[in-house]
Amino acid sequence: MPIRNVKGLVALVTGAASGLGRGTVERLAKQGMKVVVADLPSSKGAEVASHLGADNAIFTPVNVTSEEDVRKALEETKKAFGKLDVVVNCAGVAIAAKVYNFNKRRCHDLADFNRILSVNAGGTFNVIRLACELFAENKLDDQKQRGVVINTASIAAFDGQMGQAAYGASKGAIVSMTLPLARDLAADGVRVVTIAPGLFQTPLLAMLPDKVRLFMQSTVPNPSRFGDPDEYAAMVQHIIENPYLNGEVIRLDGALRMQP
Ligand SMILES: NC(=O)c1ccc[n+]([C@@H]2O[C@H](COP(=O)([O-])OP(=O)(O)OC[C@H]3O[C@@H](n4cnc5c(N)ncnc54)[C@H](O)[C@@H]3O)[C@@H](O)[C@H]2O)c1
Ligand SMILES: *[C@@H]1O[C@H](CO)[C@@H](O)[C@H](O)[C@H]1NC(C)=O
């Protein structure tokens, strides 16, 4: 069976202090993987890592848009665990703003648009390009593999709602870089797969009023509820395990197609 056992593999997960990233490090550590919790210095990353135990997890303060921060995190990864097998890009930011507000006669802020693009698309690309330096140190395994990259887009890349021009564009960029990256890295045994989540129960959504959350859940055909971060994490685990998944974007959304 070519299905790979994840035990002993080392993963760096960005945005791992919260939500989908946190669910991912929790699941992967439980499967016997070593995890690097890479998140902003101001995040709860240290807490998340210490909860998983010093043998299984370290926290590295990282702004994914910074070359220096990501390099440092990769050095820490090597120092603590000796190698890197998997990168999961979960760090991301969102904004809700229309391109033009005709009542207030106000344009969408350009700096906001660029910031969302920079963190979501630029940050994802930055982490991938630098992580390849550590992948390069891995020997090819018996299936000629040496690394896996998993990105997080959103169904907003396909059916972005009102106010999601910047967020949708940033996630569309992640979708569109998936295949060329998989092609770039194919000959050297690195796979690239992107997950496009629907609505997941994370701190982001937990903050909304009950009424809004109930309505949002009712828009999901089946199962008619928010996704659990562990369902996202289980998809991450499967992508690592299944060597035939590559260059693809997988919707994980209970058949939700968002309305305007
Ligand atoms: N929750 C959902 O329903 C949903 C749906 C579709 C896509 N997504 C995507 O999944 C990813 C995770 O979302 P979440 O719901 O877990 O959000 P979250 O806010 O709970 O977690 C995101 C994490 O990213 C970190 N982060 C933000 N900017 C960063 C930066 N510059 N450098 C490093 N870390 C940074 C934050 O500190 C935070 O810990 C995001 O990319 C988001 O766009 C989420
Ligand atoms: C991340 O780095 C960028 C570029 O240096 C900076 O503009 C931004 O404020 C930083 N983000 C955070 C949350 O510190």
Side-chain angles (χ1 to χ4, degrees):
M1 276 289 270
I3 296 300
R4 188 163 184 195
N5 189 337
V6 300
K7 198 166 178 219
L9 297 179
V10 179
L12 181 143
V13 182
T14 72
S18 175
L20 302 184
R22 180 177 186 158
T24 298
V25 290
E26 284 172 352
R27 167 172 277 269
L28 296 185
K30 217 177 274 170
Q31 306 303 312
M33 287 180 65
K34 308 292 182 190
V35 295
V36 178
V37 176
D39 206 311
L40 292 170
S42 57
S43 73
K44 287 187 174 155
E47 213 178 296
V48 170
S50 84
H51 189 71
L52 296 173
D55 290 345
N56 306 315
I58 58 167
F59 168 57
T60 59
V62 162
N63 181 334
V64 290
T65 63
S66 155
E67 168 153 4
E68 194 191 335
D69 286 7
V70 175
R71 276 194 194 284
K72 239 186 260 163
L74 291 164
E75 272 165 35
E76 293 295 315
T77 303
K78 197 176 172 191
K79 220 193 296 167
F81 302 127
K83 61 168 182 169
L84 178 70
D85 301 294
V86 178
V87 165
V88 186
N89 283 300
C90 287
V93 286
I95 186 181
K98 288 194 193 184
V99 62
Y100 188 72
N101 184 324
F102 280 83
N103 289 330
K104 295 180 181 161
R105 304 239 167 165
R106 200 171 59 209
C107 296
H108 193 299
D109 188 56
L110 184 58
D112 278 344
F113 182 88
N114 289 330
R115 179 175 56 86
I116 301 296
L117 263 288
S118 168
V119 173
N120 294 357
T124 294
F125 184 76
N126 188 38
V127 172
I128 294 170
R129 78 189 176 99
L130 296 169
C132 285
E133 295 188 333
L134 267 192
F135 288 156
E137 296 178 13
N138 295 343
K139 278 211 212 77
L140 291 172
D141 67 13
D142 56 354
Q143 297 205 43
K144 299 199 165 64
Q145 299 300 312
R146 56 154 60 95
V148 182
V149 173
I150 298 163
N151 302 319
T152 312
S154 163
I155 60 171
F158 309 105
D159 29 88
Q161 293 177 296
M162 200 187 299
Q164 290 193 318
Y167 184 72
S170 73
K171 295 304 189 177
I174 295 172
V175 166
S176 295
M177 72 172 84
T178 304
L179 183 59
L181 287 172
R183 288 172 163 168
D184 280 356
L185 302 173
D188 295 292
V190 177
R191 294 186 290 118
V192 183
V193 177
T194 294
I195 301 171
L199 300 175
F200 275 72
Q201 180 76 52
T202 66
L204 218 94
L205 286 182
M207 277 165 21
L208 295 171
D210 277 356
K211 223 170 134 187
V212 177
R213 289 174 48 233
L214 280 175
F215 171 73
M216 286 170 79
Q217 300 195 47
S218 76
T219 66
V220 186
N222 181 27
S224 192
R225 58 167 171 78
F226 292 141
D228 186 294
D230 194 50
E231 292 171 317
Y232 170 92
M235 178 58 72
V236 169
Q237 184 184 338
H238 183 74
I239 292 167
I240 301 167
E241 290 170 336
N242 192 330
Y244 213 63
L245 263 174
N246 193 12
E248 177 61 317
V249 179
I250 303 167
R251 288 182 74 124
L252 190 63
D253 63 5
L256 175 61
R257 301 295 179 270
M258 291 194 295
Q259 299 305 303

